[in-house]
Amino acid sequence: MTSASTMTSSQDIAQATAVLERDMEVWDLTDSPPPPALLIQTPPSPPPSPQSLLLQDPTGSDLCQETIIDIKLATHHLLMLALNDFLQDTCYGCQTAHPSQVQHSCLLELGEDFFDTYYDDVMIRLKTDRFIPAIRLFVRSYTVAGTGTQFSRIAEHTMTELRSSQHIVCTINDNIGLLLESSRYAQRVKPAMLRMIGNYWAGRHLF
């Protein structure tokens, strides 16, 4: 025989269950937020470092990294020489041999948009008939890979990237330092070779 307390307890459970089921029918579970664990997002990958970007092959060729380094080193060095030539050619003090440094605009700090503004003028001085041969001379001193077309494409891409640099002289110097640090060869050897190809590019080897 069932006691009154047992019946009352069973009725309470049944009523509570019915209320719960009725409430669940009106809940909209389709837009419910995910559990907390699903809200945790994977942190984004850190951006590549300037050095890793500098060492990449922008043309997707099969050249080894040392060859990429050499092409970019030669390009940066020759670009700096061409930039100096342009500054001296457009400097009133240099043209008139003025004794006062105040009259030498080539000694002043360049504006942030200087290289972008005078890019075409600097390119005219840079891209002589000895530009690519000078790069080839530097590259072939250490590796045998690469063609003139590959050298030209990587050099063009490098100069296009540099065009947006606001402080072109500092950027070139910083990049040369990073490239030399990444090279497998002794850092004292390549600067000497850079000076040699600079003399060749400028035609000083003819005298």
Side-chain angles (χ1 to χ4, degrees):
M1 182 176 180
T2 306
S3 66
S5 61
T6 303
M7 292 181 61
T8 302
S9 177
S10 300
Q11 289 176 354
D12 291 343
I13 293 174
Q15 290 176 357
T17 302
V19 172
L20 179 60
E21 290 176 349
R22 186 174 61 250
D23 291 342
M24 289 181 64
E25 290 176 358
V26 300
W27 289 351
D28 183 10
L29 302 178
T30 57
D31 295 327
S32 59
L38 298 180
L39 293 176
I40 301 176
Q41 299 180 353
T42 303
S45 302
S49 65
Q51 185 169 3
S52 64
L53 289 175
L54 188 62
L55 301 180
Q56 291 179 359
D57 180 359
T59 64
S61 65
D62 295 328
L63 298 177
C64 67
Q65 188 177 76
E66 193 68 23
T67 300
I68 302 299
I69 290 174
D70 289 345
I71 295 172
K72 292 187 175 185
L73 265 174
T75 301
H76 278 79
H77 179 67
L78 296 177
L79 177 57
M80 182 69 89
L81 295 180
L83 182 61
N84 287 333
D85 283 352
F86 173 74
L87 292 175
Q88 292 179 6
D89 288 347
T90 56
C91 173
Y92 168 78
C94 290
Q95 298 303 318
T96 60
H98 202 286
S100 174
Q101 292 186 354
V102 178
Q103 300 298 324
H104 285 262
S105 59
C106 62
L107 300 178
L108 302 179
E109 183 177 352
L110 303 182
E112 292 185 354
D113 298 325
F114 182 90
F115 188 49
D116 184 41
T117 302
Y118 297 102
Y119 182 82
D120 293 334
D121 297 298
V122 176
M123 290 301 104
I124 291 174
R125 288 164 172 77
L126 175 64
K127 295 180 181 179
T128 66
D129 293 338
R130 289 188 291 272
F131 175 54
I132 295 302
I135 296 177
R136 185 196 302 269
L137 178 63
F138 184 73
V139 172
R140 295 292 174 85
S141 299
Y142 303 97
T143 65
V144 295
T147 65
T149 300
Q150 290 173 316
F151 299 161
S152 179
R153 288 176 179 172
I154 295 175
E156 288 284 352
H157 191 277
T158 299
M159 291 181 294
T160 301
E161 284 187 327
L162 289 170
R163 181 169 186 168
S164 60
S165 300
Q166 293 183 338
H167 303 285
I168 184 60
V169 174
C170 292
T171 300
I172 292 176
N173 285 331
D174 290 345
N175 286 353
I176 288 177
L178 289 173
L179 289 166
L180 286 173
E181 289 177 4
S182 303
S183 174
R184 295 179 302 173
Y185 293 89
Q187 295 183 21
R188 294 181 180 180
V189 176
K190 288 199 172 182
M193 279 297 298
L194 286 174
R195 289 191 293 271
M196 188 194 75
I197 67 164
N199 289 333
Y200 168 76
W201 170 82
R204 287 190 286 269
H205 67 294
L206 302 175
F207 302 100

